[in-house]
Amino acid sequence: QDLSGSIATPDVKLNLGGEFIKESTATTFLRQRGYGWLLEVEDDDPEDNKPLLEELDIDLKDIYYKIRCVLMPMPSLGFNRQVVRDNPDFWGPLAVVLFFSMISLYGQFKVVSWIITIWIFGSLTIFLLARVLGGEVAYGQVLGVIGYSLLPLIVIAPVLLVVGSFEVVSTLIKLFGVFWAAYSAASLLVGEEFKTKKPLLIYPIFLLYIYFLSLYTGA
């Protein structure tokens, strides 16, 4: 018996939010063959739409507060200075170290990488010494404190340009800047757990900032 006829294209409709949308023949064909996944559209992930600063974990308000804590280390000013040690970050100290490197250039670009190297390995030395002396401190905390505490040296830099011809005044300002930086760092890193061993940690911190200053002045 002769059989003839035609098969009509199925009229498939999708229900999307109460509205019916007719599918095309190609769409229906793909779905019938098990390739419907090719037509799926992924929803935008809110995690992919974060601002750049949030993606990089940069909190400008937090960095600004830590800068104030370092520049004004006196307890009477009411700053919670422990946040510099207890909540360490990387981008703030890196920005301070890079800025110190920029003002130390004097046309010698190699000094930038050298200062960053001294920051990383100098902090590592202080960290190892602190752990040997019994201090409970992490390397990230030391790295952050040492980096932020370069700010006093940045503050005295323009003053040295003005009084550079007056040797006595210049020397006093340099000593003030080093003591300021070392005190700011030591007051955060040298806790009560060191007891009588405090000088063993304060002294290398002081020497580290003298070396940083020598890289700036070229002495």
Side-chain angles (χ1 to χ4, degrees):
Q1 185 178 358
D2 225 5
L3 296 177
S4 62
S6 62
I7 300 176
T9 302
D11 189 10
V12 180
K13 297 182 179 180
L14 295 179
N15 185 358
L16 299 177
E19 295 182 1
F20 288 93
I21 302 176
K22 186 176 180 179
E23 284 191 340
S24 65
T25 303
T27 301
T28 304
F29 177 80
L30 288 174
R31 289 191 186 280
Q32 289 177 343
R33 295 298 187 276
Y35 296 102
W37 56 272
L38 292 172
L39 305 171
E40 294 178 358
V41 178
E42 294 185 359
D43 295 332
D44 290 337
D45 189 353
E47 296 293 324
D48 296 334
N49 298 325
K50 288 183 178 180
L52 179 59
L53 292 181
E54 190 175 343
E55 282 285 343
L56 296 176
D57 196 22
I58 300 175
D59 189 340
L60 296 179
K61 290 183 179 179
D62 182 59
I63 292 174
Y64 175 64
Y65 185 81
K66 290 176 180 177
I67 288 174
R68 294 170 67 193
C69 290
V70 170
L71 291 178
M72 295 176 279
M74 289 72 71
S76 58
L77 294 176
F79 289 106
N80 180 21
R81 301 186 67 247
Q82 285 302 117
V83 73
V84 182
R85 169 177 169 169
D86 297 339
N87 186 26
D89 67 287
F90 176 74
W91 297 108
L94 178 62
V96 174
V97 172
L98 287 177
F99 189 66
F100 181 74
S101 302
M102 290 298 108
I103 66 173
S104 304
L105 277 177
Y106 290 120
Q108 299 179 1
F109 289 97
K110 288 187 292 185
V111 77
V112 177
S113 58
W114 185 239
I115 288 175
I116 293 175
T117 302
I118 296 302
W119 170 48
I120 292 173
F121 287 99
S123 298
L124 179 61
T125 303
I126 300 297
F127 163 71
L128 294 175
L129 184 57
R131 295 306 294 262
V132 168
L133 295 175
E136 296 295 329
V137 63
Y139 176 60
Q141 293 175 320
V142 178
L143 196 69
V145 169
I146 296 297
Y148 273 118
S149 296
L150 273 173
L151 285 166
L153 300 186
I154 295 175
V155 171
I156 68 169
V159 182
L160 291 177
L161 292 177
V162 176
V163 301
S165 57
F166 303 96
E167 187 174 346
V168 176
V169 178
S170 177
T171 301
L172 290 175
I173 291 175
K174 290 176 184 177
L175 288 175
F176 172 74
V178 170
F179 274 109
W180 185 4
Y183 173 77
S184 184
S187 61
L188 289 167
L189 294 176
V190 183
E192 291 300 322
E193 66 268 24
F194 293 102
K195 297 181 180 178
T196 58
K197 301 176 183 177
K198 287 183 179 181
L200 295 178
L201 192 59
I202 295 174
Y203 182 65
I205 291 174
F206 182 74
L207 291 180
L208 181 60
Y209 286 107
I210 289 180
Y211 190 61
F212 274 123
L213 184 64
S214 70
L215 291 174
Y216 168 70
T217 59

